[in-house]
């Protein structure tokens, strides 16, 4: 894909990785479709960016609203070259806690089904055009199940498998599916973590590396690369050793707002 990208549609754009990607692509001259639940934050972001952009205050779990947003963006700006399904939520969960059942449902609905809902309106027109990038933000937390993060790990493991299925479905169509599995990135999502976060990467640096992988149409990558090495090692650990090492691992707080 050429370095110039004219149109980008991003979910979860009101903060964190989504906001950083919006700033990156606006800096490259792209017109953006910015999706998020916090309209005031989207408006503040748009005012700070060069160029003309469309704002969509909605929940990615709402397929009708997302379909309408996709149709509006295409009508106003044209088919995007890049669609980034970035919206996600994270909270500590325990299966034994009945109060966490709603959190499990919310995390899976947003992180997995929200990604499907984001891509669905764009797949057919991208296939017809024979071009485009569908980018899913996964996580190294999807490589192996982490204690106290059953919902988040499960959602990201499912995202990785879903994106692989979609990639194979679109093989030969000209549409690239890019899976990015971030490690620890400096965002509001990680700010609540009380445990050490190795190889923590500033979000602006992360966005630039993400965009490089998107431009290249990379099928799968872990960013930063050091966490990619860790992820490969985690896959190789026998279950008894993994269980012993991670049983006392740091856990994200439960009961965070979703």
């Amino acid at each position: 894909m050429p370095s110039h990208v004219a149109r980008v549609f991003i979910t979860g754009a009101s903060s964190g990785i989504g906001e950083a990607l919006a700033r990156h692509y606006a800096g490259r001259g792209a017109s953006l479709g910015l999706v998020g639940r916090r309209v005031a934050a989207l408006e503040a972001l748009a005012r700070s960016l060069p160029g003309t952009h469309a704002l969509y205050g909605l929940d990615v779990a709402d397929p009708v609203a997302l379909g309408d947003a996709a149709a509006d963006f295409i009508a106003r700006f044209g088919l995007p070259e890049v669609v980034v399904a970035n919206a996600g939520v994270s909270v500590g969960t325990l299966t034994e806690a009945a109060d966490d059942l709603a959190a499990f449902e919310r995390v899976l609905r947003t992180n997995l089904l929200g990604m499907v809902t984001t891509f669905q309106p764009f797949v057919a027109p991208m296939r017809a055009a024979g071009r485009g990038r569908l980018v899913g933000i996964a996580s190294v937390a999807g490589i192996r199940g982490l204690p106290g993060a059953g919902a988040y790990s499960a959602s990201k493991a499912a995202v990785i498998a879903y994106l692989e299925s979609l990639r194979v479905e679109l093989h030969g169509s000209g549409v690239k599916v890019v899976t990015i599995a971030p490690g620890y990135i400096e965002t509001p999502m990680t700010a609540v973590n009380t445990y050490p976060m190795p190889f923590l990467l500033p979000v602006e640096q992360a966005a630039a590396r993400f965009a490089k992988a998107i431009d290249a149409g990379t099928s799968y990558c872990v960013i930063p690369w050091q966490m990619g090495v860790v992820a490969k090692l985690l896959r190789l650990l026998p279950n008894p050793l993994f269980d012993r090492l991670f049983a006392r691992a740091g856990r994200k707080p439960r009961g965070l707002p979703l």
Side-chain angles (χ1 to χ4, degrees):
M1 177 177 287
S3 60
H4 178 67
V5 177
R7 296 166 293 273
V8 183
F9 191 89
I10 305 171
T11 66
S14 58
S15 66
I17 290 170
E19 178 185 351
L21 283 170
R23 294 189 184 282
H24 175 90
Y25 281 113
R28 291 168 58 175
S31 295
L32 309 177
L34 302 174
V35 177
R37 288 183 291 171
R38 295 184 295 130
V39 175
L42 290 178
E43 291 173 342
L45 172 61
R47 286 194 297 269
S48 72
L49 299 177
T52 303
H53 313 293
L55 310 183
Y56 304 103
L58 58 87
D59 190 323
V60 294
D62 184 342
V64 174
L66 242 174
D68 289 345
D72 178 78
F73 184 82
I74 292 171
R76 291 172 61 183
F77 299 98
L79 184 66
E81 287 90 0
V82 177
V83 175
V84 184
N86 165 73
V89 293
S90 177
V91 64
T93 50
L94 291 175
T95 300
E96 67 198 67
D99 289 348
D100 284 359
L101 290 175
F104 269 90
E105 192 276 336
R106 178 63 181 173
V107 170
L108 287 163
R109 181 159 49 92
T110 299
N111 295 1
L112 174 60
L113 297 181
M115 183 173 291
V116 179
T117 301
T118 297
F119 289 155
Q120 192 279 323
F122 295 104
V123 173
M126 280 188 169
R127 188 194 286 274
R131 61 173 175 80
R133 300 285 193 270
L134 297 171
V135 183
I137 305 302
S139 171
V140 293
I143 303 300
R144 298 205 68 164
L146 300 176
Y152 189 72
S153 287
S155 73
K156 294 303 185 178
V159 158
I160 291 170
Y162 160 68
L163 290 166
E164 186 160 64
S165 295
L166 183 62
R167 186 181 75 237
V168 178
E169 289 169 9
L170 292 172
H171 178 73
S173 68
V175 182
K176 299 290 187 181
V177 176
V178 178
T179 302
I180 298 177
Y184 292 113
I185 311 296
E186 287 184 350
T187 67
M189 185 179 288
T190 58
V192 300
N193 295 343
T194 57
Y195 48 84
M197 293 179 283
F199 313 116
L200 184 66
L201 189 65
V203 71
E204 294 82 7
Q205 292 183 29
R209 296 184 193 184
F210 288 11
K212 185 176 180 180
I214 294 166
D215 287 347
T218 304
S219 61
Y220 177 89
C221 66
V222 178
I223 296 172
W225 67 265
Q226 295 94 331
M227 286 301 293
V229 174
V230 173
K232 289 180 180 179
L233 292 175
L234 287 178
R235 287 195 190 100
L236 297 174
L237 283 181
N239 287 349
L241 180 56
F242 177 81
D243 295 352
R244 188 160 61 249
L245 289 174
F246 281 84
R248 293 183 175 84
R251 303 185 181 195
K252 185 176 285 288
R254 296 171 54 234
L256 298 174
L258 294 174

